[in-house]
Amino acid sequence: MRSLLSGLFCVLLCTSCMPVMTGEQDLDLSGQEVRLTLLHTSDIHSRLIPYDFAPLKTDTDLGIVPEAGPFGGATRMGAILKRERTRASRLLHLDSGDCFQGAPIFNLNNGQAEMSFLSRMRLDAAVIGNHEFDAGLLNFVEKTRDFATFPLMAANYYWDSPNEPGNAQALLNTVPYVIRNVQGLKVGVIGMANISSLNSLVEGGNSLQATPLEQNEAARAYVEMLRPVVDLVVVVSHLGLTEDQDLIRGYEAYYEYDRARPYLERDHDKWRLMEYADPGQEGNPKAVVRVFIPGVSGLDAVLGGHLHVVLNPPQQLSDPSGRKVLVIHSGAFAKYVGRSDLVVKVPKAEERTIDGAEIVSNDYRVFPLDGLWCDDAMRAYYKDNFWNAGQFINAPGVRQAIARCQEMEDRETTDLLQPFLLGMDFNMQLTSIFSYAPRDVARRNTSTGGDSPLGNIAADSMRKRRAVEAEMALTNSLGIRDNLYAGVVSQESMFNVFPFENTINLMYLSGSEIQEMLDFVAERSSERGCVSQAQISGARFTMDCAQVQLNDLRIPCVPTNNAQDCPQAGREGHAPWQCLQDQDGSRCYARPATDVVINGKPLNPNGMYRVAVNDYIAKGGSGFSVLKRNTTRQETGISLRDSLIGYMQGFCTCDDILDPDKPAPKKSKTGEYCGTLVNGEWRIDDQLINFCTQAKAYKTALTETLKNQKVGTCSCEQVLPPRADAAQRCGVEGLTPEIIRSTCLGSVPQGPYTGRCYCRDALGGAQECGAVTKQLETFCKNPTEMPIANAVEDNRIGRRVK
């Protein structure tokens, strides 16, 4: 069942949680067509500071320029939000939740910076996202109380145990809806918080203690309440795109007949009985029935989040009454700001019905937040021409355009973030470097959907960690939140990979429990295009997604027939059928995780295995109920982030790889093999050898290779101290490296040093590389001594789709 019905109407009767209409003095707009602008942000995930990532085609199609990184950031978002406010007469800024979690600024400050920023931006309202509870319920209510000047909404949560401190404060600091009077146009805004991740949150140890209410009935009740007093009804949602569509069109669900009966028998918006899950249970009030829950009539727009997608143009769906409803999603990670310009027809007073005003047209635009956020002409210049990699950034005027946009970023936000940035520099040492990636290390497998390069070494690091030393390790794929990008691997990049403070837990699982765990992985992966939802180490198995689909057919069988009445044709390679008995009767079932091997040996169902998992799934998060039931969990206190850092520090260096005196297979100083295991043999690929050969050539002879030695977006020539000919290049008498460093470092990037020379020229471009630390200089002087972050998928997770 998607959600619960209990408590819905007692929530609606809670007069203490009814918000008061806010906004401007009434104006009579009867009979007029007026414009309303909706600014939309969503899933910011603490990306208040610009960051690097590899834009996908979907990003470039939406206007992001890959060479105009880094991307995102609050100073750009703040500048766009303020600019768009000046360009609109009637405007609401609404946020679809998950402003917390995803970058180091949250790990250190637990949401203060995010709430403070959105308050400075005069946010009108936000829905609660599931990640708002990542530091616990009390942290959420404290940050809301102390730093949020905007309402946070959740019409579909019922806070249990209101006498407990966390729940009492949550009840006081959240509302189901707000009404905004925007120059005479009355807009009701309903918040629909996330339900799909709620169980995981509770099981993850956050003790949310909130009961989710059935989404369509909660929304329907508030629409009926608001319609008589507002012109428009807008839902701000963190449900997810499918659930947003279900809100309008309706959906099927399973309930006990007794609980569904009042909705099946009422006079309006009746639920429709589809079937009994077990036909033999007809008439039993406790029988499970499949019902159709109708969509909600009376909505005008849904501004959604949670799935991190952009709908451009927005979807337009019809509700049960035929009314057109806009569905708008505006992306995630502070990459975009969405703007919808609505033309709203307000009926004359004598013609007004319960439907209120009507949206007659909509113009949507998404603003990308890259280095060219302020320059549409330069963005069009990129789009209208073909560019080879690295070519556009050096085209005439591009760097100057980026510099102009940087000067236009919001200074109020810069001042707000300054103490948080200083705190991170002092406490977290984000610029620490411990490895170098000659190419991207991807968190997803884009070729087969199985194991991923980054997932493999993350799981390996858990299994091999000192004091863990497990036979097998497993972590959920979605817990790995970013790739490792080509260039130096720093502490900051590892916070992007593992933003959550998850730790390694040790468990002792029987072979049958491991089988059940991997069956669950296969079933969950099948729901997501047969893309693996877990990463493993010390084991191999195949996800039989075709079998998952067969199991879902629930083919009936007779237990005494030993599954002989299950389909027998084409079973080669599939697990044998069983006649499984559950509450709905007997059905044909076969294990969807096949060919399970642990440490090179077939899984022993009666054996006992030492397994490393992360604490989130160990407590049942993401549906790992088999782990939640197990009572052997031991908390190691070792964070996944630190485990991966320590593991990568032991990787081979180029000195190890190129050492002629080392026999094959070559190893690092800590005993890790160099390269990749292919058919039982450790091999080092040509790309890695070529990189190491170039690094060695640079180290032994300062030749042109220096210019090609990349450190992220910069070359080592840009990172190293100013060249001796800096004075000649800039034409400044008395210019010395010391003067250049003291004057330019810390100044506005690419800003003028003198009337004739820019800092980027005097420094050899170092400012474009960010903070140039001693570690960075050391790497550029001795690149062959740095551990090389190298990983590939090795088919430890196979898949079957036919």
Side-chain angles (χ1 to χ4, degrees):
M1 299 179 198
R2 176 174 295 178
S3 51
L4 300 180
L5 296 171
S6 59
L8 174 59
F9 292 109
C10 64
V11 172
L12 297 178
L13 294 173
C14 173
T15 56
S16 63
C17 60
M18 294 296 102
V20 178
M21 182 187 298
T22 61
E24 303 175 24
Q25 187 174 1
D26 270 354
L27 298 172
D28 186 5
L29 303 178
S30 299
Q32 299 183 41
E33 288 190 353
V34 298
R35 186 179 293 271
L36 173 67
T37 296
L38 300 177
L39 292 182
H40 185 215
T41 52
S42 182
D43 296 276
I44 293 172
H45 283 298
S46 302
R47 297 301 179 99
L48 304 186
I49 302 165
Y51 60 96
D52 290 315
F53 81 101
L56 302 173
K57 186 178 186 301
T58 50
D59 293 308
T60 57
D61 288 346
L62 290 165
I64 280 184
V65 178
E67 295 182 43
F71 306 93
T75 55
R76 294 170 182 166
M77 179 176 281
I80 285 181
L81 291 171
K82 288 183 176 180
R83 182 190 71 190
E84 297 307 306
R85 277 192 180 275
T86 66
R87 296 177 175 179
S89 56
R90 287 182 179 83
L91 182 141
L92 288 176
H93 174 197
L94 302 171
D95 184 89
S96 289
D98 269 7
C99 67
F100 283 5
Q101 189 65 270
I105 198 167
F106 176 80
N107 298 76
L108 191 62
N109 301 285
N110 290 327
Q112 177 182 344
E114 295 86 331
M115 288 292 185
S116 299
F117 165 66
L118 290 172
S119 295
R120 293 282 185 94
M121 293 302 105
R122 297 160 52 196
L123 178 65
D124 289 285
V127 70
I128 300 171
N130 50 293
H131 284 289
E132 264 71 275
F133 304 110
D134 278 5
L137 176 60
L138 276 174
N139 177 75
F140 164 71
V141 296
E142 287 169 0
K143 296 301 183 290
T144 302
R145 180 194 63 209
D146 296 341
F147 303 107
T149 59
F150 53 90
L152 284 115
M153 304 178 296
N156 54 331
Y157 282 2
Y158 173 67
W159 297 103
D160 302 331
S161 307
N163 294 326
E164 295 186 15
N167 294 82
Q169 291 183 53
L171 187 63
L172 290 172
N173 286 278
T174 60
V175 294
Y177 70 89
V178 295
I179 300 175
R180 295 298 191 196
N181 187 339
V182 192
Q183 295 186 30
L185 190 70
K186 300 180 185 67
V187 183
V189 184
I190 302 170
M192 298 299 293
N194 184 264
I195 291 174
S196 61
S197 300
L198 194 62
N199 289 339
S200 295
L201 285 169
V202 175
E203 292 171 351
N206 287 316
S207 300
L208 187 58
Q209 296 175 325
T211 298
L213 307 175
E214 196 289 311
Q215 62 174 48
N216 287 27
E217 290 305 313
R220 196 184 331 274
Y222 284 112
V223 169
E224 291 176 359
M225 180 187 297
L226 292 173
R227 260 295 161 210
V229 295
V230 299
D231 298 304
L232 296 177
V233 176
V234 174
V235 164
V236 183
S237 162
H238 198 76
L239 293 168
L241 179 56
T242 298
E243 290 80 359
D244 290 343
Q245 296 165 338
D246 292 346
L247 196 65
I248 301 163
R249 298 188 296 204
Y251 70 100
E252 294 179 5
Y254 288 88
Y255 279 97
E256 287 183 0
Y257 179 77
D258 245 10
R259 297 178 63 201
R261 185 167 58 182
Y263 301 91
L264 293 166
E265 297 176 351
R266 67 186 178 188
D267 295 332
H268 64 92
D269 297 307
K270 287 184 178 182
W271 292 12
R272 188 166 76 250
L273 178 62
M274 307 288 288
E275 65 176 0
Y276 280 81
D278 182 353
Q281 291 290 311
E282 289 188 26
N284 180 358
K286 297 299 182 183
V288 175
V289 293
R290 181 164 64 97
V291 297
F292 180 80
I293 301 174
V296 180
S297 295
L299 298 176
D300 293 286
V302 177
L303 275 62
H306 187 53
L307 289 190
H308 304 172
V309 298
V310 177
L311 297 180
N312 190 15
Q315 293 181 353
Q316 191 174 69
L317 305 179
S318 295
D319 72 12
S321 69
R323 188 186 188 93
K324 298 299 182 183
V325 185
L326 289 172
V327 180
I328 301 167
H329 282 237
S330 298
F333 301 116
K335 291 190 293 186
Y336 308 101
V337 172
R339 171 173 172 150
S340 290
D341 288 300
L342 313 177
V343 175
V344 180
K345 184 177 181 180
V346 182
K348 296 178 181 179
E350 63 272 16
E351 298 174 353
R352 188 178 181 93
T353 67
I354 193 66
D355 289 334
E358 178 187 2
I359 297 174
V360 295
S361 70
N362 167 57
D363 181 38
Y364 178 78
R365 181 179 178 186
V366 61
F367 299 105
L369 298 184
D370 56 21
L372 291 170
W373 66 269
C374 75
D375 197 324
D376 290 340
M378 192 60 72
R379 193 180 306 282
Y381 178 47
Y382 173 82
K383 185 177 180 180
D384 294 341
N385 295 274
F386 176 81
W387 304 93
N388 293 319
Q391 185 181 12
F392 177 72
I393 193 68
N394 294 312
V398 173
R399 293 184 185 273
Q400 291 84 346
I402 291 175
R404 284 195 303 272
C405 289
Q406 191 166 33
E407 287 293 326
M408 295 172 63
E409 292 177 9
D410 185 49
R411 297 305 169 199
E412 180 187 11
T413 302
T414 301
D415 294 341
L416 171 69
L417 294 180
Q418 195 64 35
F420 297 105
L421 297 177
L422 292 174
M424 287 195 298
D425 285 343
F426 182 78
N427 292 295
M428 306 183 83
Q429 299 180 334
L430 296 179
T431 56
S432 295
I433 299 168
F434 52 87
S435 186
Y436 182 85
R439 57 194 171 202
D440 290 350
V441 182
R443 70 187 180 105
R444 289 194 176 99
N445 184 321
T446 56
S447 56
T448 69
D451 58 287
S452 71
L454 185 53
N456 287 348
I457 58 174
D460 287 346
S461 75
M462 296 167 61
R463 179 173 65 90
K464 299 179 181 181
R465 177 77 179 193
R466 188 173 64 253
V468 175
E469 295 152 347
E471 296 171 87
M472 175 189 173
L474 183 143
T475 189
N476 57 314
S477 298
L478 287 178
I480 305 171
R481 304 296 283 191
D482 202 359
N483 303 325
L484 285 179
Y485 297 104
V488 290
V489 179
S490 65
Q491 184 87 348
E492 181 174 12
S493 60
M494 294 306 298
F495 268 95
N496 292 335
V497 170
F498 282 126
F500 311 121
E501 298 297 335
N502 291 122
T503 56
I504 300 174
N505 282 196
L506 265 173
M507 306 184 80
Y508 290 89
L509 301 179
S510 68
S512 59
E513 286 177 311
I514 288 179
Q515 179 71 60
E516 183 181 349
M517 176 176 68
L518 297 180
D519 286 339
F520 170 73
V521 171
E523 289 163 355
R524 192 168 182 110
S525 302
S526 178
E527 297 171 358
R528 293 160 173 80
C530 204
V531 175
S532 181
Q533 298 302 298
Q535 301 296 316
I536 60 174
S537 174
R540 307 180 77 86
F541 80 105
T542 298
M543 304 182 300
D544 191 345
C545 296
Q547 184 61 55
V548 174
Q549 296 175 4
L550 289 173
N551 290 342
D552 288 344
L553 294 176
R554 305 184 66 86
I555 301 169
C557 57
V558 178
T560 56
N561 288 347
N562 296 320
Q564 292 303 306
D565 44 359
C566 298
Q568 300 300 322
R571 294 300 299 167
E572 184 179 352
H574 295 286
W577 283 115
Q578 308 171 40
C579 190
L580 184 69
Q581 297 185 64
D582 56 26
Q583 62 180 6
D584 298 327
S586 301
R587 62 186 177 95
C588 295
Y589 175 84
R591 297 285 188 187
T594 64
D595 307 319
V596 182
V597 173
I598 307 289
N599 287 328
K601 297 180 181 179
L603 179 69
N604 178 2
N606 301 314
M608 188 63 66
Y609 297 89
R610 183 180 169 99
V611 181
V613 297
N614 71 56
D615 64 325
Y616 171 67
I617 64 172
K619 300 171 186 175
S622 289
F624 281 85
S625 56
V626 61
L627 299 181
K628 185 180 181 181
R629 293 196 306 266
N630 188 285
T631 60
T632 64
R633 183 174 71 89
Q634 300 174 25
E635 174 61 72
T636 68
I638 302 168
S639 79
L640 268 61
R641 187 186 310 119
D642 291 343
S643 176
L644 183 55
I645 290 172
Y647 184 57
M648 292 173 64
Q649 286 175 323
F651 279 10
C652 295
T653 66
C654 283
D655 285 342
D656 296 323
I657 291 170
L658 299 177
D659 189 345
D661 297 327
K662 280 191 172 183
K666 297 183 178 183
K667 293 183 180 181
S668 70
K669 293 180 178 63
T670 60
E672 289 293 326
Y673 284 102
C674 305
T676 306
L677 188 64
V678 180
N679 296 326
E681 181 182 350
W682 287 96
R683 299 179 185 175
I684 303 172
D685 63 75
D686 291 340
Q687 185 178 356
L688 194 57
I689 292 175
N690 290 339
F691 165 76
C692 286
T693 302
Q694 290 182 16
K696 184 175 181 180
Y698 153 60
K699 180 180 177 181
T700 56
L702 298 180
T703 62
E704 287 295 304
T705 310
L706 169 66
K707 296 180 180 179
N708 299 321
Q709 185 63 49
K710 285 290 184 181
V711 187
T713 58
C714 305
S715 69
C716 277
E717 182 185 40
Q718 295 169 309
V719 167
L720 290 174
R723 289 167 26 185
D725 65 347
Q728 181 180 352
R729 287 191 292 137
C730 296
V732 181
E733 225 177 283
L735 188 66
T736 66
E738 291 74 21
I739 292 175
I740 294 171
R741 282 262 182 229
S742 62
T743 305
C744 284
L745 285 183
S747 69
V748 176
Q750 304 195 34
Y753 168 66
T754 71
R756 301 176 59 187
C757 183
Y758 286 87
C759 280
R760 67 172 186 272
D761 303 318
L763 288 171
Q767 281 301 101
E768 298 168 31
C769 308
V772 180
T773 64
K774 281 292 182 185
Q775 280 186 314
L776 207 55
E777 291 183 6
T778 299
F779 166 73
C780 280
K781 291 174 182 176
N782 301 290
T784 62
E785 299 175 12
M786 179 72 71
I788 302 302
N790 182 54
V792 297
E793 61 261 24
D794 57 16
N795 299 316
R796 62 182 71 173
I797 301 177
R799 69 173 188 169
R800 179 173 183 160
V801 295
K802 293 182 181 179

